[in-house]
Structure formats: structure tokens, C-alpha cells
Amino acid sequence: MPRTELPRELVTQGLAAARNAIETEAAAVSALAGRLDGVFLDVLKAAAACEGHLVVTGLGKSGLVGRKIAATLASTGTPASFIHAGDALHGDSGAVTERDLVLALSASGETAEVCAFARMLRDREIPVIAMTGAEDSTLARLATYTLDTMVLREADPLNLAPTASTTAALVMGDALACALVVLRDFTHHDFARYHPSGALGRKLLGAGEAE
């Protein structure tokens, strides 16, 4: 099947957009390091002291990022799970107990389902960590703690698609998980116990047997 050649000018513009996306997201991630302040420390202490699960919630692209954050936390020694914010309003909120801590993701801080879930949790006196780019948002006002993941702009040419904002949220979640690895004294042996299958698990278990 003959391939239609794209105009050279369009290809050049596309490559420029790709480079700009990488640079924009890199800048957004770099800016997060300066926000690991007292609030982050409070969140870290609350997560380390949590006797139940760190329940992550979100909707849309933030929900997809939330699933990954929950998976990373669980695989590195922090009991964690994900509840879709929409499902939470149709019964799944019953899975959250008074021993849990909830991490709610919304770039705008105004996602209706996430805010409604956070309001339900506040009424039950369950602490909520908001991860949002808008510290004056509804979600931030409902939360016990607010992690600032604000970005100057999205990475796409239209400044509309969740790109830099979702990357920032993902990295902040990784930062929290990595800090908890240290606080929990989570070791290579612990990691191996949680990952018995796959190449990584075989490598870690083999290293353990060699010792």
C-alpha cells in the first residue's frame, strides 16, 4: 500500500512539539523537588503511621495515574489499594475504614466525583490527602493535607491534554513511595517476597539464595 509522504514542514513542527513536550514535562517534574516541604513531611508521617490501607482515588487520567501509584505503594511495603471515584459514590466507599488514609487525585481539584467522595470521607472523619494543582480548590479545602502538583502548562501544543499534570502527579506519588521505603526499612528481601515471578523476582530470589 503506497505511503503518503507528510509535508516536510509538518514533520518539522511535529518533532518540535515532541521535544517541547519532553522539556515541558521535565521542567514540571524538576519543580516538584522544591515542594517537598512541611506538608509533604506531614503526609509522610501520616502514611507511615496508617494502621490500615492507603486508599488512592481519582477519575479519568488522574484515576489511571492513581492506579499506578497504588500499585507502586503496595509493591514497596505500603498496604494500598485503588477505588475509582465514580464507583465510590455507588457503594465502593464502604471499603474505606476508619483506619485508612485516602489519597485523592485531581489536577483541577474540582472533579465532581472526587470532591463528593472526599466530602463523604470528611464526614466520616477519615483523613484525605489531596494531590492537586490548585491549592485553593474544593478538593484542597476538603482535605486534611494538600500536595501541590501544579504545572505551568500542559505539554501538548493545545495546552489541554493531561500530560505534564499527570506526569507531575505520578512523580509525586513515586516520591511518597520511595520515602516510605526508607521509613519502613523495606529491603531487597522484602521486595523479592512481593515479586516471586518474572525476571526481577527470579533475579532477587537468586541473589538471596546466593547469600
Side-chain angles (χ1 to χ4, degrees):
M1 204 174 162
R3 186 178 66 180
T4 303
E5 291 294 331
L6 293 170
R8 181 181 298 273
E9 182 180 356
L10 198 60
V11 171
T12 301
Q13 292 174 356
L15 287 174
R19 293 191 184 95
N20 182 70
I22 292 172
E23 291 168 357
T24 299
E25 296 203 18
V29 168
S30 181
L32 294 177
R35 301 179 202 163
L36 302 186
D37 52 13
V39 176
F40 184 84
L41 184 57
D42 289 341
V43 168
L44 189 57
K45 290 177 179 177
C50 179
E51 296 180 348
H53 278 66
L54 206 171
V55 179
V56 186
T57 189
L59 194 75
K61 305 299 186 296
S62 291
L64 295 172
V65 171
R67 287 183 186 277
K68 192 276 179 185
I69 292 174
T72 298
L73 288 164
S75 71
T76 52
T78 297
S81 57
F82 177 82
I83 295 178
H84 188 279
D87 292 337
L89 305 184
H90 293 273
D92 284 12
S93 60
V96 184
T97 74
E98 282 66 25
R99 300 178 59 183
D100 296 332
L101 181 64
V102 176
L103 174 63
L105 279 67
S106 170
S108 67
E110 300 296 342
T111 307
E113 294 87 346
V114 176
C115 291
F117 187 19
R119 190 171 287 106
M120 293 168 63
L121 295 165
R122 186 187 64 175
D123 292 344
R124 293 175 57 193
E125 299 184 350
I126 295 173
V128 175
I129 305 163
M131 188 180 288
T132 179
E135 291 188 292
D136 60 347
S137 63
T138 300
L139 179 60
R141 289 193 296 272
L142 290 167
T144 312
Y145 314 98
T146 299
L147 294 175
D148 178 15
T149 54
M150 183 273 295
V151 297
L152 294 178
R153 61 165 289 124
E154 297 291 2
D156 73 292
L158 301 176
N159 189 27
L160 292 174
T163 46
S165 58
T166 48
T167 299
L170 180 61
V171 171
M172 185 65 85
D174 284 345
L176 179 61
C178 290
L180 287 168
V181 164
V182 176
L183 265 63
R184 295 183 184 281
D185 196 23
F186 192 78
T187 68
H188 287 81
H189 298 292
D190 296 322
F191 197 92
R193 285 192 298 118
Y194 291 166
H195 299 76
S197 296
L200 180 58
R202 287 195 297 272
K203 177 181 177 182
L204 289 170
L205 290 171
E209 292 171 359
E211 292 176 5

